[in-house]
Amino acid sequence: VSVDKMVSDARVRALIDTDIAEKCDKLKKYEIPQEWSFVAPFTASNNMLTPKMSIRRHMVVKAYEDVVANMYGDEILTDATDGACREERVA
């Protein structure tokens, strides 16, 4: 089975949803992911991780802001001119 078929298979998504629900049963409602998406693994070679394996948040936000916007049905604006990431929801 190809990765593309697994990503689009409703049974795989249901399995992951169930696993998230089981793992988050002791969390508060606002801490539990409501939406999620398959993305490429974060690695140093794709610039998502530093050589020390720390997440490069600004690179992740830049690369996946359209994915997040599609999940939540709105646009996310970021301003990282000073190196900090700030997010603002625009409905």
Side-chain angles (χ1 to χ4, degrees):
V1 176
S2 73
V3 173
D4 290 335
K5 286 185 180 182
M6 287 179 59
V7 167
S8 60
D9 190 329
R11 295 173 299 175
V12 172
R13 288 185 114 11
L15 181 65
I16 294 171
D17 285 337
T18 301
D19 195 44
I20 290 171
E22 288 173 0
K23 300 286 192 276
C24 298
D25 66 337
K26 293 186 171 128
L27 298 177
K28 293 178 175 57
K29 184 175 180 178
Y30 65 86
E31 295 175 313
I32 301 171
Q34 299 300 309
E35 298 288 334
W36 57 270
S37 182
F38 287 106
V39 296
F42 295 176
T43 64
S45 64
N46 67 8
N47 274 339
M48 297 298 166
L49 296 177
T50 66
K52 290 184 175 183
M53 298 306 190
S54 300
I55 295 175
R56 290 186 171 154
R57 189 173 189 277
H58 67 284
M59 296 297 287
V60 173
V61 169
K62 182 178 173 183
Y64 295 111
E65 70 181 332
D66 60 329
V67 174
V68 173
N70 286 333
M71 284 191 315
Y72 292 100
D74 55 8
E75 184 178 342
I76 296 176
L77 303 177
T78 59
D79 177 16
T81 57
D82 62 353
C85 291
R86 295 176 192 86
E87 298 175 4
E88 178 182 327
R89 293 226 178 263
V90 178

